[in-house]
Amino acid sequence: MRVITDGRTVTGIAEIKATIEADFAANDFKGTIKAGSHEVLNDGGVIAKGTYHVKGTAAGEPVDITGTYTNTLVKVNGEWKVSKNVLVQDQ
C-alpha cells in the first residue's frame, strides 16, 4: 500500500507502479536516489537508508523536494522484497 501526496491510496505492485509511472509521465520532474548505509538484521533482513531529491514541475508548479528514506528488505524465495518503505521529507 502507498499513500500518494494528494491523499489517494493505491495497493498492489501493479497499481503502485502504474500510479508512479503516470505521475512521472504527466509532470516534468526527475528523481535522484542516493544509497547511504545499510544494516543486516539478525533475521537476515536488511535496513537500507539514503536520501532522495525530486526536482522539476508538477501541474505547472515548481517542485524541489529532498528527504531521507528507510527501506526494510526481506528475502522471499530467494528474491529480495521491500517489506517497508518510509520517506521523510526535509522541511
Side-chain angles (χ1 to χ4, degrees):
M1 179 185 78
R2 187 172 210 61
V3 178
I4 308 301
T5 55
D6 64 9
R8 292 176 291 154
T9 299
V10 292
T11 58
I13 293 171
E15 187 179 6
I16 292 169
K17 181 180 181 218
T19 300
I20 292 170
E21 286 176 346
D23 284 347
F24 271 85
N27 297 290
D28 182 24
F29 52 76
K30 303 224 183 276
T32 303
I33 299 171
K34 291 187 180 180
S37 64
H38 71 278
E39 173 187 353
V40 178
L41 304 174
N42 290 336
D43 64 3
V46 175
I47 295 177
K49 297 180 179 186
T51 61
Y52 66 89
H53 185 191
V54 177
K55 186 171 184 169
T57 58
E61 296 296 321
V63 173
D64 193 354
I65 301 168
T66 59
T68 59
Y69 70 85
T70 302
N71 290 336
T72 303
L73 300 104
V74 295
K75 207 170 217 182
V76 178
N77 297 325
E79 293 185 21
W80 286 102
K81 306 282 185 178
V82 176
S83 65
K84 184 176 182 182
N85 170 258
V86 177
L87 299 174
V88 178
Q89 184 175 329
D90 294 337
Q91 296 297 321

